[in-house]
Amino acid sequence: MANYSDNQVVFFSENKKAIYDLWQKISDYINNSKTNSICGFLESLGYSEYESRNMSDLRNSFVGCDDEVTDDESVSFFYIKTETAWTGNIEVFYRVIEDKYNNEIELYALIEESGFNIFINTDEEGVYFYPKYKIDAFINDEQIEEYFESFNQVLDFIKKKFPKVKLSSKDTIARLKKKITKVYKVNDEEDFYLDIHRFSSMYPF
């Protein structure tokens, strides 16, 4: 059984007509499709069944799409959410943009697949997606899921949330996990987990 990746993708361009056209095609497909499969969407754009299966996976699907396009001065944009097997599969959208829109649309993606520790944010400037780090934990019967723009924010959060831990500004992620676990994990039978993830900006095409 595949591990599934939760993905957010933002499409943006100064070509308002192209952005509205892509949004309309995705929105109409989601609203009228029984499966929301990305392969089905590709076929609705005119790709053959063979091409769609080579570009994506039948398990990959749309989860959501913005209700409308946002116009911000000269740039128009909208977000979608997808669920895909193993990897983010955003290369399929690069292909659509190249084939159908002459590369006049750009995209960034935020990809999370915890099974293989895949955390990617291709928006290096943080214009559309800000996370650079994520804490995912269950400690003292509390579920914690927090995103951060910087490592200093991670340290500040840990200082407030886990005051018993003695921190250093030179602590690494591995050292932080070890310190928190040592102080707050009571025993092996306790429901306890702690992950601190760093988002990479490189997508493995």
Side-chain angles (χ1 to χ4, degrees), residues 21 42 45-47 95-103:
D21 184 77
L42 294 172
L45 295 181
Y47 293 98
R95 171 74 181 277
V96 169
I97 288 169
E98 180 180 4
D99 291 348
K100 307 298 182 180
Y101 298 98
N102 198 31
N103 286 323

Side-chain angles (χ1 to χ4, degrees), residues 2-7 85-88 110-121 132-137 147 173-174 177 193-204:
N3 287 346
Y4 279 88
S5 177
D6 294 316
N7 319 297
W86 303 112
T87 66
L110 187 70
I111 297 165
E112 299 183 50
E113 199 286 278
S114 58
F116 283 94
N117 197 33
I118 300 172
F119 289 83
I120 299 171
N121 179 358
K132 303 297 182 188
Y133 296 89
K134 179 185 180 181
I135 292 180
D136 189 13
Y147 295 87
I173 289 177
K177 291 172 65 174
Y193 68 84
L194 170 65
D195 287 307
I196 303 175
H197 306 287
R198 180 182 180 277
F199 285 83
S200 168
S201 62
M202 299 298 294
Y203 183 78

Side-chain angles (χ1 to χ4, degrees), residues 3 9 20 27-28 30 38-39 47 60 65 70 85 91 94 121 131 145 149 189 191-192 199:
N3 287 346
V9 180
Y20 272 83
S27 182
D28 286 349
I30 291 174
I38 293 175
C39 285
Y47 293 98
N60 298 346
C65 176
T70 299
E91 56 269 30
Y94 281 107
N121 179 358
E145 185 178 73
E149 293 183 65
E189 285 71 42
D191 287 332
F192 176 102
F199 285 83

Side-chain angles (χ1 to χ4, degrees), residues 61-76:
S61 62
F62 291 100
V63 176
C65 176
D66 279 354
D67 292 334
E68 59 185 15
V69 174
T70 299
D71 295 317
D72 186 352
E73 297 180 344
S74 64
V75 176
S76 299

Side-chain angles (χ1 to χ4, degrees), residues 155-163 167:
L155 291 174
D156 288 342
F157 178 84
I158 290 174
K159 286 177 184 177
K160 295 175 183 177
K161 196 71 178 179
F162 308 110
L167 299 179

Side-chain angles (χ1 to χ4, degrees), residues 139-155:
I139 300 174
N140 293 338
D141 295 325
E142 181 184 1
Q143 179 72 51
I144 300 169
E145 185 178 73
E146 297 285 343
Y147 295 87
F148 307 91
E149 293 183 65
S150 70
F151 193 61
N152 283 336
Q153 289 184 350
V154 174
L155 291 174

